Amino acid sequence: MDTVKDTFNSLLGRKPTGPKIRYGVVAAGWITQAAFIPGVGQTSNSVVTVLISDDAEKREKLGKEYNLKSYSYNQFSQALAEGHCDAFYIATPNNQHRKFAVPALEQGYHVLLEKPMEVSIEDCEAILEAQKKSGAKLMIAYRLHHEPGTLDVIDRVRKGDFGDPRIFSSVFTQDLKPENHRAKQGYDAGPIPDMGTYPINAVRNIFGLEPTEVTAIGFKTPGREFLKMDHDTVTVTLRFPGDRVAQFTAGYASAGTEGYKVVGTKGDIEVNPSYGFGSGVKIAYKTKINGKEDSKTFPETDHFGGETEYFSECILNNIDPEADGEDGLNDVRVIVAIKESLDGNGKTVKIKSNERKKRPVMEQAKKLSLGKEPKVLVGRDSQKPGAN
């Protein structure tokens, strides 16, 4: 082991060994197999070289198919020591993010961390502390921060096309399959952390503000006893500075639907599709400004390839990513406050978040063509979580 080199890496973040950032993937469920690995193949500056999985079948078959160095979860420290990658993409269940992100960051590995950042404020702060000490890059995987249609919506609201934005409303639901791990882990893998993160992050960046308080009510759908959580559907109201309001519903027990609407003093914009990805998904919106209607549809792009190419650019050029750990922490502050409101039968909960200067901008847009999903996905939790 090169002690001097390892010390340098742990203090300043690992230096790339070539023109492409080498990624290790931690967890190989549906997202990793169907979207992340194909997406990386669409980039010009990234490659997958390492697989960390607790599934022996995945380690064997995916390792062979993609020529990856494979390790079990228990061998993660060995993977860190052997150094066959520069960065990790972590897509474990939410409550395991800290377990992998902190040791990786402490040893200077850059981390692209799936959302939500973690399940508690304490866990998020531990990840942030590890990143700040090492100097490695940390980015939360908000793929829509690089999707051209989403960035166009944010830009138009920011420029005042719809006047002063006052109201945000959204619905995001799916019919979760009983076998999916999200059905078995209570609130921390429930509809708010898993799906509610999308409208939370969207409205924070569309308004360009942080919410100050929240109220939430939850429901348990009859006949969905396999959903091991108190609430499989949750409706949330967020208050923002200037008496702006956001309302959204996220759920695991309905037909799949998505979309959001922003209403301003001059007009409104309705976005649908808004949160999804993959084949046939083209972000689109309809507008109405001073009575005049219009619409626009954006080309299908590879969201995972786009976010990875951007993050690799940040590593290669020593630039701090926009969707950093502070952005992830502010979302988790809201998620934690929603749980407190639910536990208090809908009581109003104050939220104390750090104000952000960084927000998504048009220059972050990526227009990579969509990678091809493999015909066969390997092992448990490798299928799409929703039935529709």
Side-chain angles (χ1 to χ4, degrees):
M1 183 179 293
D2 188 333
T3 304
V4 174
K5 181 179 178 182
D6 288 343
T7 301
F8 183 80
N9 282 333
S10 66
L11 290 174
L12 299 174
R14 293 193 169 249
K15 303 304 175 186
T17 58
K20 292 188 176 184
I21 300 300
R22 302 171 302 160
Y23 283 85
V25 293
V26 183
W30 173 66
I31 284 289
T32 295
Q33 293 187 48
F36 182 76
I37 293 178
V40 171
Q42 301 302 103
T43 69
S44 62
N45 59 5
S46 313
V47 62
V48 178
T49 57
V50 170
L51 171 65
I52 313 291
S53 174
D54 65 346
D55 186 323
E57 180 185 13
K58 291 176 182 177
R59 293 197 300 272
E60 178 185 355
K61 293 183 178 180
L62 296 176
K64 183 177 180 180
E65 180 177 356
Y66 295 105
N67 191 29
L68 307 177
K69 179 72 173 175
S70 297
Y71 303 86
S72 68
Y73 283 176
N74 290 335
Q75 294 173 312
F76 189 56
S77 59
Q78 180 184 344
L80 295 177
E82 292 183 357
H84 293 290
C85 61
D86 308 301
F88 284 99
Y89 168 70
I90 300 176
T92 62
N94 305 332
N95 60 5
Q96 296 181 38
H97 286 184
R98 176 180 179 175
K99 173 182 176 182
F100 293 100
V102 167
L105 289 163
E106 285 178 341
Q107 295 198 34
Y109 286 92
H110 311 284
V111 171
L112 178 59
L113 184 60
E114 265 301 342
K115 56 200 172 299
M117 187 174 176
E118 245 289 356
V119 300
S120 74
I121 293 170
E122 179 185 1
D123 289 324
C124 292
E125 289 176 337
I127 295 170
L128 268 171
E129 183 65 21
Q131 182 266 320
K132 290 175 181 177
K133 282 184 177 180
S134 72
K137 306 298 182 190
L138 169 65
M139 181 171 127
I140 311 304
Y142 294 115
R143 53 184 170 77
L144 292 168
H145 288 211
H146 310 284
E147 192 284 314
T150 302
L151 291 171
D152 190 57
V153 172
I154 294 171
D155 188 60
R156 292 195 64 179
V157 173
R158 185 179 292 150
K159 290 191 300 186
D161 286 4
F162 311 100
D164 181 19
R166 306 299 308 167
I167 300 167
F168 173 97
S169 61
S170 180
V171 176
F172 193 19
T173 60
Q174 65 176 315
D175 186 4
L176 191 71
K177 296 175 182 176
E179 63 270 20
N180 190 268
H181 75 88
R182 294 168 182 82
K184 307 166 188 175
Q185 298 187 43
Y187 181 83
D188 288 345
I192 290 300
D194 186 59
M195 306 180 77
T197 303
Y198 288 86
I200 291 168
N201 193 263
V203 69
R204 287 181 46 245
N205 284 299
I206 288 170
F207 282 176
L209 298 166
E210 301 302 325
T212 57
E213 62 183 42
V214 62
T215 58
I217 54 173
F219 311 89
K220 187 63 184 284
T221 305
R224 298 302 177 99
E225 288 76 20
F226 67 85
L227 293 171
K228 304 302 181 183
M229 56 196 69
D230 292 334
H231 309 105
D232 58 51
T233 304
V234 180
T235 294
V236 175
T237 301
L238 292 167
R239 170 172 277 185
F240 284 80
D243 282 336
R244 295 171 175 83
V245 66
Q247 293 179 309
F248 71 86
T249 298
Y252 277 169
S254 317
T257 190
E258 62 175 279
Y260 63 83
K261 186 172 186 176
V262 182
V263 181
T265 53
K266 288 170 49 180
D268 61 67
I269 182 167
E270 186 168 1
V271 187
N272 188 354
S274 58
Y275 305 128
F277 65 90
S279 179
V281 176
K282 299 179 179 181
I283 303 298
Y285 62 67
K286 297 178 180 178
T287 62
K288 187 175 182 180
I289 303 173
N290 294 327
K292 183 179 178 181
E293 297 182 0
D294 200 359
S295 64
K296 188 172 184 178
T297 299
F298 292 79
E300 171 188 279
T301 61
D302 196 304
H303 296 188
F304 290 81
E307 70 179 354
T308 306
E309 178 147 301
Y310 171 83
F311 187 48
S312 293
E313 289 173 356
C314 290
I315 297 169
L316 289 165
N317 298 310
N318 194 26
I319 297 169
D320 292 332
E322 174 268 322
D324 55 18
E326 295 289 348
D327 196 17
L329 173 57
N330 276 1
D331 275 351
V332 172
R333 292 186 196 278
V334 179
I335 291 167
V336 169
I338 291 170
K339 185 176 189 301
E340 184 179 345
S341 180
L342 289 170
D343 291 344
N345 295 314
K347 72 174 183 178
T348 298
V349 177
K350 299 292 184 181
I351 305 170
K352 294 182 179 180
S353 295
N354 296 327
E355 289 300 320
R356 283 183 58 75
K357 294 181 180 179
K358 291 192 288 187
R359 299 286 180 185
V361 293
M362 290 297 296
E363 289 75 17
Q364 295 174 202
K366 299 294 181 183
K367 301 178 181 179
L368 303 184
S369 59
L370 186 66
K372 187 175 182 181
E373 181 178 335
K375 291 182 179 179
V376 178
L377 303 177
V378 178
R380 65 181 182 275
D381 265 339
S382 63
Q383 303 304 309
K384 190 173 183 179
N388 50 23

